[in-house]
Amino acid sequence: GRAGGKMAERAARLQEEALHRRDRLLALRERRAQNKGKDEAEPETKHLREDEDEKEIRHRELKLRNYVPEAKELKDRLVPNAKPASVEEKVREQQEAGKPVPVIEEVDLVNLAPRKPDWDLKRDVAKKLEKLEKRTQRAIAELIREKLKDNEEDLASAVGAVKQEDYDSE
């Protein structure tokens, strides 16, 4: 019972998919026919007859290039051997075109020289270096100020000592 029901469902689903596939193929054929400019009203049998006529015409246009027929009717369709075009001139032109033309122009050595292998690293680090440079300048300025303060105190004490001596000598 159960296995038969699954088989029936599967068969129904496969049949439904086949119908959808057939519909899609028919729609595709209709679109192709419209794209080629053929009328939709013509029956398919007429299209088949036209194809057969085209095959007959192609058969009539048979050209024998490599086959030498024995029948006299077919000897009329024999195509004479084609003479290959001279390739030597084309080869010479290509060889001349391939030769490098000496170019004597001023060359900028800056543009010609390859970049150093670490140029991208330097570019990425540049912003960080700018910050560090600012910090360094501040630190240097601060150290100079401290030294000046120390020097002022030393200078003041030295001046004070000199004044003391002046007072003592008077």
Side-chain angles (χ1 to χ4, degrees):
R2 213 169 170 194
K6 286 185 179 181
M7 292 292 283
E9 288 177 22
R10 187 179 295 160
R13 190 178 65 222
L14 288 174
Q15 191 172 13
E16 187 177 322
E17 289 175 3
L19 290 173
H20 286 299
R21 202 167 31 251
R22 193 189 82 185
D23 293 340
R24 283 197 314 257
L25 286 171
L26 288 174
L28 179 66
R29 285 183 189 148
E30 287 178 17
R31 276 187 263 143
R32 283 188 180 167
Q34 288 174 356
N35 289 343
K36 289 183 180 179
K38 294 183 179 178
D39 296 333
E40 289 183 38
E42 292 182 359
E44 287 187 30
T45 56
K46 189 170 182 182
H47 290 301
L48 292 176
R49 286 185 196 141
E50 288 176 358
D51 290 342
E52 289 173 3
D53 291 342
E54 288 176 10
K55 286 180 184 175
E56 288 178 21
I57 292 170
R58 289 184 192 144
H59 180 70
R60 287 185 206 135
E61 296 174 1
L62 182 67
K63 295 180 182 177
L64 303 172
R65 296 187 197 323
N66 296 327
Y67 175 72
V68 180
E70 293 180 12
K72 291 180 182 177
E73 308 94 39
L74 296 177
K75 285 190 178 188
D76 295 340
R77 296 186 185 160
L78 187 62
V79 177
N81 292 337
K83 295 180 182 175
S86 176
V87 183
E88 294 172 355
E89 187 64 31
K90 290 182 181 180
V91 170
R92 276 193 214 113
E93 289 174 8
Q94 288 178 355
Q95 283 178 339
E96 290 173 6
K99 292 180 182 176
V101 179
V103 178
I104 303 173
E105 293 181 15
E106 302 225 3
V107 179
D108 187 15
L109 293 177
V110 175
N111 292 335
L112 185 65
R115 288 183 170 173
K116 293 183 180 176
D118 60 348
W119 69 272
D120 57 335
L121 297 174
K122 289 180 181 177
R123 179 198 62 210
D124 295 341
V125 173
K127 291 181 182 177
K128 295 177 183 176
L129 281 176
E130 286 177 20
K131 289 180 184 178
L132 289 175
E133 187 66 29
K134 290 177 185 176
R135 287 182 185 173
T136 305
Q137 293 297 327
R138 285 186 201 138
I140 291 173
E142 194 173 318
L143 287 172
I144 292 173
R145 285 188 200 112
E146 287 178 12
K147 283 197 174 194
L148 287 175
K149 283 183 182 177
D150 291 343
N151 286 341
E152 283 179 14
E153 291 173 5
D154 291 344
L155 191 65
S157 61
V159 169
V162 169
K163 284 187 179 181
Q164 283 290 328
E165 290 175 8
D166 287 341
Y167 290 127
D168 290 343
S169 63
E170 289 178 4

